[in-house]
Amino acid sequence: LAEVLLHAGERVAFRPAAGTIALDGEREIEVKTSHKVSVELSLDGPRTIDIDRAIATAAAAGQFLS
């Protein structure tokens, strides 16, 4: 199994072993060895928030009332 470091906008195509590709924790795609799969890294995806870090930062800044 080869590892590839992708840069934004790069696309890599490969033939997978049979199995499942998990995308975002909810969607999954079943693939067969006859399928051709390509992956592209995009920086336009949804932004995420580290909730634990956001709460800790707000608490440290005195943003919560007690």
Side-chain angles (χ1 to χ4, degrees):
L1 186 61
E3 293 183 20
V4 177
L5 176 62
L6 293 178
H7 298 282
E10 280 188 302
R11 181 177 295 218
V12 174
F14 58 94
R15 292 209 181 268
T20 302
I21 297 174
L23 298 172
D24 59 8
E26 295 180 14
R27 295 179 291 164
E28 295 179 348
I29 298 174
E30 297 295 322
V31 293
K32 298 178 181 177
T33 55
S34 60
H35 291 161
K36 184 175 180 183
V37 175
S38 65
V39 176
E40 180 179 345
L41 178 61
S42 171
L43 300 180
D44 298 328
R47 296 183 185 253
T48 60
I49 297 173
D50 180 337
I51 298 298
D52 292 335
R53 184 174 175 192
I55 290 173
T57 299
Q63 298 298 311
F64 295 116
L65 299 175
S66 57

